[in-house]
PDB file of all heavy atoms in Angstrom:
ATOM      1  N   ALA A  64      35.474  28.195 -37.975  1.00 86.00           N
ATOM      2  CA  ALA A  64      34.393  27.205 -38.128  1.00 86.00           C
ATOM      3  C   ALA A  64      33.041  27.864 -37.899  1.00 86.00           C
ATOM      4  O   ALA A  64      32.085  27.614 -38.642  1.00 86.00           O
ATOM      5  CB  ALA A  64      34.596  26.042 -37.155  1.00 86.00           C
ATOM      6  N   ARG A  65      32.939  28.723 -36.878  1.00 84.00           N
ATOM      7  CA  ARG A  65      31.672  29.418 -36.614  1.00 84.00           C
ATOM      8  C   ARG A  65      31.295  30.337 -37.763  1.00 84.00           C
ATOM      9  O   ARG A  65      30.120  30.544 -38.038  1.00 84.00           O
ATOM     10  CB  ARG A  65      31.770  30.216 -35.308  1.00 84.00           C
ATOM     11  CG  ARG A  65      31.626  29.369 -34.069  1.00 84.00           C
ATOM     12  CD  ARG A  65      31.457  30.220 -32.833  1.00 84.00           C
ATOM     13  NE  ARG A  65      32.631  31.006 -32.524  1.00 84.00           N
ATOM     14  CZ  ARG A  65      33.639  30.593 -31.765  1.00 84.00           C
ATOM     15  NH1 ARG A  65      33.612  29.388 -31.252  1.00 84.00           N
ATOM     16  NH2 ARG A  65      34.670  31.372 -31.521  1.00 84.00           N
ATOM     17  N   GLU A  66      32.294  30.890 -38.432  1.00 82.00           N
ATOM     18  CA  GLU A  66      32.040  31.792 -39.559  1.00 82.00           C
ATOM     19  C   GLU A  66      31.856  31.031 -40.871  1.00 82.00           C
ATOM     20  O   GLU A  66      31.623  31.637 -41.902  1.00 82.00           O
ATOM     21  CB  GLU A  66      33.216  32.768 -39.705  1.00 82.00           C
ATOM     22  CG  GLU A  66      33.350  33.727 -38.550  1.00 82.00           C
ATOM     23  CD  GLU A  66      34.643  34.517 -38.600  1.00 82.00           C
ATOM     24  OE1 GLU A  66      35.532  34.201 -39.430  1.00 82.00           O
ATOM     25  OE2 GLU A  66      34.772  35.468 -37.805  1.00 82.00           O
ATOM     26  N   GLY A  67      31.983  29.704 -40.828  1.00 79.00           N
ATOM     27  CA  GLY A  67      31.831  28.898 -42.036  1.00 79.00           C
ATOM     28  C   GLY A  67      33.059  28.926 -42.931  1.00 79.00           C
ATOM     29  O   GLY A  67      32.986  28.565 -44.095  1.00 79.00           O
ATOM     30  N   ARG A  68      34.206  29.330 -42.389  1.00 82.00           N
ATOM     31  CA  ARG A  68      35.414  29.437 -43.202  1.00 82.00           C
ATOM     32  C   ARG A  68      36.367  28.265 -42.992  1.00 82.00           C
ATOM     33  O   ARG A  68      37.490  28.301 -43.468  1.00 82.00           O
ATOM     34  CB  ARG A  68      36.147  30.744 -42.891  1.00 82.00           C
ATOM     35  CG  ARG A  68      35.312  31.964 -43.233  1.00 82.00           C
ATOM     36  CD  ARG A  68      36.068  33.258 -43.069  1.00 82.00           C
ATOM     37  NE  ARG A  68      36.658  33.396 -41.747  1.00 82.00           N
ATOM     38  CZ  ARG A  68      37.848  33.956 -41.511  1.00 82.00           C
ATOM     39  NH1 ARG A  68      38.564  34.416 -42.493  1.00 82.00           N
ATOM     40  NH2 ARG A  68      38.295  34.066 -40.290  1.00 82.00           N
ATOM     41  N   LEU A  69      35.938  27.219 -42.304  1.00 80.00           N
ATOM     42  CA  LEU A  69      36.774  26.046 -42.094  1.00 80.00           C
ATOM     43  C   LEU A  69      36.133  24.851 -42.789  1.00 80.00           C
ATOM     44  O   LEU A  69      35.954  23.797 -42.229  1.00 80.00           O
ATOM     45  CB  LEU A  69      36.952  25.770 -40.599  1.00 80.00           C
ATOM     46  CG  LEU A  69      38.045  24.776 -40.224  1.00 80.00           C
ATOM     47  CD1 LEU A  69      39.415  25.304 -40.629  1.00 80.00           C
ATOM     48  CD2 LEU A  69      38.026  24.487 -38.742  1.00 80.00           C
ATOM     49  N   SER A  70      35.741  25.071 -44.018  1.00 72.00           N
ATOM     50  CA  SER A  70      35.121  24.008 -44.789  1.00 72.00           C
ATOM     51  C   SER A  70      35.651  24.069 -46.213  1.00 72.00           C
ATOM     52  O   SER A  70      36.074  25.122 -46.677  1.00 72.00           O
ATOM     53  CB  SER A  70      33.592  24.141 -44.758  1.00 72.00           C
ATOM     54  OG  SER A  70      33.221  25.408 -45.241  1.00 72.00           O
ATOM     55  N   PRO A  71      35.639  22.941 -46.904  1.00 67.00           N
ATOM     56  CA  PRO A  71      36.163  22.929 -48.268  1.00 67.00           C
ATOM     57  C   PRO A  71      35.266  23.729 -49.201  1.00 67.00           C
ATOM     58  O   PRO A  71      34.063  23.878 -48.944  1.00 67.00           O
ATOM     59  CB  PRO A  71      36.148  21.447 -48.639  1.00 67.00           C
ATOM     60  CG  PRO A  71      35.116  20.839 -47.763  1.00 67.00           C
ATOM     61  CD  PRO A  71      35.117  21.655 -46.497  1.00 67.00           C
ATOM     62  N   PRO A  72      35.835  24.257 -50.285  1.00 62.00           N
ATOM     63  CA  PRO A  72      34.988  24.935 -51.262  1.00 62.00           C
ATOM     64  C   PRO A  72      33.972  23.945 -51.824  1.00 62.00           C
ATOM     65  O   PRO A  72      34.267  22.769 -51.987  1.00 62.00           O
ATOM     66  CB  PRO A  72      35.963  25.402 -52.336  1.00 62.00           C
ATOM     67  CG  PRO A  72      37.269  24.798 -52.019  1.00 62.00           C
ATOM     68  CD  PRO A  72      37.213  24.189 -50.671  1.00 62.00           C
ATOM     69  N   ARG A  73      32.792  24.418 -52.094  1.00 59.00           N
ATOM     70  CA  ARG A  73      31.750  23.510 -52.570  1.00 59.00           C
ATOM     71  C   ARG A  73      31.057  24.098 -53.784  1.00 59.00           C
ATOM     72  O   ARG A  73      31.060  25.300 -54.001  1.00 59.00           O
ATOM     73  CB  ARG A  73      30.749  23.212 -51.473  1.00 59.00           C
ATOM     74  CG  ARG A  73      30.089  24.448 -50.910  1.00 59.00           C
ATOM     75  CD  ARG A  73      29.224  24.117 -49.711  1.00 59.00           C
ATOM     76  NE  ARG A  73      28.660  25.303 -49.153  1.00 59.00           N
ATOM     77  CZ  ARG A  73      27.523  25.862 -49.551  1.00 59.00           C
ATOM     78  NH1 ARG A  73      26.825  25.311 -50.501  1.00 59.00           N
ATOM     79  NH2 ARG A  73      27.075  26.957 -48.991  1.00 59.00           N
ATOM     80  N   ASP A  74      30.456  23.209 -54.554  1.00 61.00           N
ATOM     81  CA  ASP A  74      29.761  23.633 -55.761  1.00 61.00           C
ATOM     82  C   ASP A  74      28.298  23.950 -55.518  1.00 61.00           C
ATOM     83  O   ASP A  74      27.698  24.708 -56.246  1.00 61.00           O
ATOM     84  CB  ASP A  74      29.864  22.541 -56.835  1.00 61.00           C
ATOM     85  CG  ASP A  74      31.306  22.319 -57.272  1.00 61.00           C
ATOM     86  OD1 ASP A  74      32.097  23.284 -57.193  1.00 61.00           O
ATOM     87  OD2 ASP A  74      31.634  21.199 -57.671  1.00 61.00           O
ATOM     88  N   GLY A  75      27.721  23.343 -54.518  1.00 59.00           N
ATOM     89  CA  GLY A  75      26.300  23.544 -54.269  1.00 59.00           C
ATOM     90  C   GLY A  75      26.000  23.469 -52.791  1.00 59.00           C
ATOM     91  O   GLY A  75      26.901  23.441 -51.957  1.00 59.00           O
TER      92      GLY A  75
END
Side-chain angles (χ1 to χ4, degrees):
R65 282 191 294 271
E66 294 170 350
R68 298 186 306 143
L69 193 64
S70 57
R73 58 187 177 87
D74 296 332

